[in-house]
Amino acid sequence: MQRVFVKLAVLVAASAGLVVLPVRADSRAAPKGPDEDGTKPALTRIAGEGMMNSHAFGFLTELSDDIGGRVTGTPAERKAEEWGAAKMRSIGLENVHTEKYMIWRGWTRGTAEGEILAPVRHKLHVDAMGWTGSTPAGGAEGEVVTVNLFDIDKEIKSASRLKGKVALVVMRGRPSKSGIMLFAQFGDLLKAAGAAGAIAVIGGQGGGKSSGMNLTHTGILGFNADFAIPVLSMTAEDQGQLERFIERGITPRLHFNVQNTFTNGPVETANVVGEIRGREHPEEIFVVGGHLDSWDLAQGTTDNGSGTATTLGAADAIVRSGQRPRRTIRFVLFTGEEQGLDGSFAYVKQHQAELANHLGNLILDFGQGPVKGFQLGGRDDLVPVFQPFADALSSLHPMQLDDHVESGTDTLPFSMAGLPGINMNQEPSDYNLTHHTAADALEAQKPDVLAQNATLMALAAYWIADRPERFASPWPAERTARMLRAQHEYEELKAFNLWPYGDLGAEEKKDNPQN
Ligand SMILES: [Zn+2]
């Protein structure tokens, strides 16, 4: 959900480069890959099923066409849960069930209409950001004033000037702080604008501007954050015209009619779970998944129908291969990802008692492109362990490895638990244009790429669960906190009240940035 963080961070300041760690020579035996650890025959059968008998694109077609957009907590998302559980049963997974939890508040999109009244008159292409409010019935009109995101403290202080106006977010000059902090503080600006009586705010996630031809980009504006003021994503073409008028000293006048609905209180949702039980250590668990929920401007194919279909396709390939791993592979379709990783945070909380028996998780949530690497979620110790397996995949695609923590998807709660929250890194392809937009439909996913991604997920899951030695155990909190600080996650987690470690790991921060 927070891909915008990455974009903003690049825009705002040079962010810390990823460290690809060298394999250290030490006294331990060299880690073994599939050729030496006995897993190769099973992996070969799984690869055959995955590549030559793939059902992943069929799963994605059903989810996209028959269910479509599925915002967490809505009837469509409930239908997706039932569909996901039914698919898991038909694939032949064991222990299929849903695990319910609540999100703080539900939201349903209504209509969003916009028009420029002066100096010219035409329709504006807008959509509401998720969990934002409505204009009065029939709409409201007012003049446009710009607010500079890069001078956010001053803008919040002078928010009273926004009364009766439409606030257009711009980025001018040099930013006063990091992209993450701007994203976090954007919520304060929205609250101040709402309290001042502004009609609406034009700005996407973190205040960002839309990209792509005639596309709006919806999304949430914080972790579990809602705002009473309407916040609108506008196409780059329409927004560009407004900006050009303002630069020429012309003040545009706009009319908006935006109607959305919040629930009065929390709403129920559920993660969907199914397993392939381990043959030797069924109590030891490796979690594999993607998120089932989506936004609602289109079918939610690439975000994250692709991850859902990859997960189900991986499960299908393993079951059909007839192979049973030493340890349990637990397939989880998370919901609530788009609202703040709510499903994966709920999972970690609900399974606290058995987290010590977990080996980590593996997530695909970067859309439709080919997998090109694995990010091991903070666990630099596992890079050399994983390397021989990654090398074994090189005939499918060269694989890059690093220990980067991906905080924008359901890997984060696992990394925060000291486990490897492994992100399958993908070619960016057209994902920046399809996710959260009206272009997120089945046309965006190539079936052969999906089949290959599902196969890679199946192979990685099976190898991790089946290799003779246990792949990973959770790190203690102190070591995890130190790692998260070294990976520059502290600032973001603290800003969103998600940092649970207090001062743990702080003293190491400056001395040794790598670990
Ligand atoms: Zn996603």
Side-chain angles (χ1 to χ4, degrees):
M1 73 136 189
Q2 312 154 52
R3 300 303 181 192
V4 68
F5 286 2
V6 178
K7 255 195 275 178
L8 266 179
V10 170
L11 187 84
V12 166
S15 61
L18 299 186
V19 181
V20 179
L21 293 148
V23 179
R24 273 170 308 186
D26 60 22
S27 54
R28 287 171 299 176
K32 289 177 178 158
D35 278 323
E36 300 140 313
D37 65 11
T39 59
K40 186 77 170 279
L43 294 178
T44 308
R45 288 192 192 100
I46 292 164
E49 286 294 332
M51 295 300 288
M52 298 193 70
N53 199 11
S54 176
H55 297 87
F57 196 71
F59 299 144
L60 187 59
T61 305
E62 285 182 30
L63 182 62
S64 298
D65 284 345
D66 298 347
I67 297 172
R70 44 201 181 276
V71 173
T72 305
T74 63
E77 185 265 302
R78 186 73 41 84
K79 190 176 166 190
E81 291 168 23
E82 287 162 15
W83 173 86
K87 283 294 135 193
M88 285 185 174
R89 286 193 189 96
S90 71
I91 285 167
L93 294 185
E94 301 151 87
N95 261 335
V96 176
H97 63 281
T98 57
E99 298 184 352
K100 292 183 178 23
Y101 66 96
M102 308 294 282
I103 64 164
W104 84 109
R105 204 175 186 193
W107 180 84
T108 306
R109 181 185 306 280
T111 54
E113 292 161 358
E115 191 178 10
I116 178 167
L117 305 172
V120 293
R121 188 156 187 163
H122 63 77
K123 175 180 154 66
L124 293 169
H125 299 87
V126 291
D127 281 301
M129 299 301 292
W131 272 255
T132 66
S134 307
T135 60
E141 67 176 77
E143 292 177 342
V144 177
V145 295
T146 59
V147 292
N148 187 4
L149 187 70
F150 287 174
D151 206 0
I152 195 160
D153 294 318
K154 197 178 134 212
E155 295 289 6
I156 291 169
K157 277 191 206 118
S158 56
S160 61
R161 74 189 179 94
L162 302 177
K163 183 175 165 56
K165 309 283 188 188
V166 175
L168 172 65
V169 178
V170 295
M171 298 179 207
R172 287 198 191 128
R174 294 197 66 79
S176 53
K177 47 191 79 181
S178 73
I180 299 299
M181 292 312 290
L182 289 175
F183 187 101
Q185 247 189 310
F186 186 54
D188 297 333
L189 177 64
L190 296 176
K191 279 183 208 149
I199 292 170
V201 175
I202 301 169
Q205 280 192 303
K209 194 173 166 180
S210 284
S211 54
M213 284 191 268
N214 203 34
L215 288 176
T216 59
H217 293 249
T218 192
I220 200 85
L221 295 162
F223 284 81
N224 298 340
D226 61 77
F227 299 95
I229 188 168
V231 183
L232 296 165
S233 170
M234 182 177 278
T235 61
E237 292 85 349
D238 284 344
Q239 195 163 333
Q241 187 187 25
L242 296 182
E243 287 171 4
R244 289 189 294 277
F245 281 137
I246 289 164
E247 275 163 28
R248 287 161 57 197
I250 301 165
T251 302
R253 190 166 180 84
L254 313 183
H255 180 268
F256 285 121
N257 185 3
V258 182
Q259 305 299 329
N260 298 310
T261 316
F262 286 106
T263 61
N264 287 325
V267 291
E268 191 179 88
T269 179
N271 297 323
V272 182
V273 181
E275 295 178 333
I276 296 174
R277 299 287 292 171
R279 67 175 195 271
E280 278 182 20
H281 304 288
E283 76 289 355
E284 292 182 6
I285 296 152
F286 186 61
V287 171
V288 176
H291 69 88
L292 184 59
D293 67 303
S294 79
W295 286 107
D296 54 345
L297 296 181
Q299 299 184 322
T301 296
T302 67
D303 190 12
N304 186 225
S306 296
T308 298
T310 301
T311 302
L312 294 172
D316 186 53
I318 297 172
V319 170
R320 281 171 180 271
S321 76
Q323 305 300 303
R324 188 174 282 280
R326 283 189 168 85
R327 302 170 191 81
T328 295
I329 303 174
R330 182 176 287 166
F331 298 90
V332 184
L333 301 177
F334 296 103
T335 59
E337 195 275 347
E338 295 292 355
Q339 288 67 46
L341 320 181
D342 293 341
S344 45
F345 275 117
Y347 177 93
V348 165
K349 205 171 162 190
Q350 288 171 346
H351 293 271
Q352 195 66 43
E354 59 172 359
L355 272 193
N357 276 337
H358 275 63
L359 278 62
N361 80 340
L362 177 68
I363 294 289
L364 184 143
D365 184 19
F366 216 114
Q368 62 270 55
V371 170
K372 62 173 184 178
F374 294 84
Q375 301 177 307
L376 299 184
R379 293 293 300 261
D380 59 349
D381 58 323
L382 299 175
V383 173
V385 178
F386 199 85
Q387 189 68 56
F389 170 73
D391 292 344
L393 302 175
S394 62
S395 61
L396 288 164
H397 199 291
M399 292 294 159
Q400 295 160 2
L401 284 192
D402 62 54
D403 73 330
H404 180 60
V405 171
E406 175 51 68
S407 62
T409 189
D410 295 310
T411 46
L412 178 65
F414 286 76
S415 288
M416 288 175 68
L419 287 160
I422 305 173
N423 184 50
M424 298 182 79
N425 199 17
Q426 296 168 260
E427 302 279 357
S429 185
D430 294 327
Y431 184 64
N432 285 336
L433 300 178
T434 59
H435 83 295
H436 300 196
T437 77
D440 196 1
L442 193 66
E443 279 65 22
Q445 177 69 67
K446 291 192 174 79
D448 57 331
V449 176
L450 183 70
Q452 178 169 306
N453 288 349
T455 303
L456 288 167
M457 182 183 258
L459 294 173
Y462 195 91
W463 179 73
I464 287 172
D466 192 52
R467 64 196 294 277
E469 287 167 57
R470 180 174 167 156
F471 181 66
S473 294
W475 273 356
E478 197 276 336
R479 190 173 182 186
T480 304
R482 195 150 34 97
M483 174 278 291
L484 289 167
R485 286 175 192 272
Q487 292 218 13
H488 308 281
E489 292 293 333
Y490 171 78
E491 195 183 31
E492 175 188 345
L493 294 173
K494 187 77 179 167
F496 287 104
N497 291 317
L498 292 171
W499 180 259
Y501 312 100
D503 291 335
L504 274 186
E507 70 287 354
E508 297 287 328
K509 192 182 172 187
K510 282 176 192 137
D511 308 345
N512 187 356
Q514 272 202 19
N515 197 3

